Amino acid sequence: MLLVNPNRSARFVLLYAVMPTIVISFIVNLVISHALFGHLEQVNAWGAGALGPELVITSFMLPFITSLILIPLMRRAYKNGKADRIERFVSIACALPKNLLAASFVIGIISAAAAGSLAAFAIGMSNADVFGSANAIAIRTGFATLLALAVSWCVTCMALSQAAEMTERE
């Protein structure tokens, strides 16, 4: 049985996975949001080039790309002894495919179903047909940054647990 130091793992996850992911996601999504909506005076809630579909697409793409990056990094960190598994995520991690692309796709689909649905519901409940450009940029950037926070924490913890499981089987 491996000795697990939860404070060490939590600190590692926070400093080397979650915080950089949040900062990078904020900057990248601010640039993307500005490129999409900055030249417009108003942004439609739904339809082509609108805020709603963009949030749904982001709710899949951000977790998919984040998983493609973080899973190999966390597996390597576990193998190098920089972090331990986080026990709460063992059963979830074992349910994920071991293949990186498949695991990233599953995480993207789950996120799109949960976060995408929530985003669509929130836009629908706002009763707004259009948003100002600055509001659309702020909404998309804020949504992506909060999604990056949740996804990076979960993906990192699951990847560490999955790496431990894979190592024990070898």
Side-chain angles (χ1 to χ4, degrees), residues 36-37 40 42-54 57:
L36 289 171
F37 304 132
L40 302 173
Q42 292 184 329
V43 178
N44 290 329
W46 297 103
L51 181 61
E54 183 57 35
I57 292 167

Side-chain angles (χ1 to χ4, degrees), residues 4-58:
V4 177
N5 180 345
N7 290 333
R8 176 178 167 244
S9 292
R11 191 176 319 116
F12 178 84
V13 168
L14 185 63
L15 293 176
Y16 294 101
V18 175
M19 293 306 292
T21 301
I22 291 171
V23 171
I24 291 167
S25 177
F26 175 79
I27 293 168
V28 167
N29 282 291
L30 181 61
V31 169
I32 291 171
S33 297
H34 196 277
L36 289 171
F37 304 132
H39 64 284
L40 302 173
E41 200 168 300
Q42 292 184 329
V43 178
N44 290 329
W46 297 103
L51 181 61
E54 183 57 35
L55 293 180
V56 174
I57 292 167
T58 299

Side-chain angles (χ1 to χ4, degrees), residues 70-82 163:
L70 284 180
I71 289 174
L73 290 175
M74 293 303 108
R75 287 177 180 170
R76 191 174 318 121
Y78 179 82
K79 287 180 182 178
N80 293 336
K82 294 181 180 177

Side-chain angles (χ1 to χ4, degrees), residues 86-139:
I86 297 180
E87 294 296 328
R88 282 175 273 208
F89 289 88
V90 171
S91 59
I92 298 170
C94 293
L96 281 177
K98 305 299 183 246
N99 177 281
L100 175 62
L101 191 59
S104 299
F105 185 77
V106 168
I107 290 167
I109 291 294
I110 291 168
S111 176
S117 302
L118 186 60
F121 177 74
I123 288 180
M125 291 302 292
S126 73
N127 287 329
D129 292 330
V130 294
F131 295 90
S133 176
N135 288 341
I137 291 170
I139 290 168

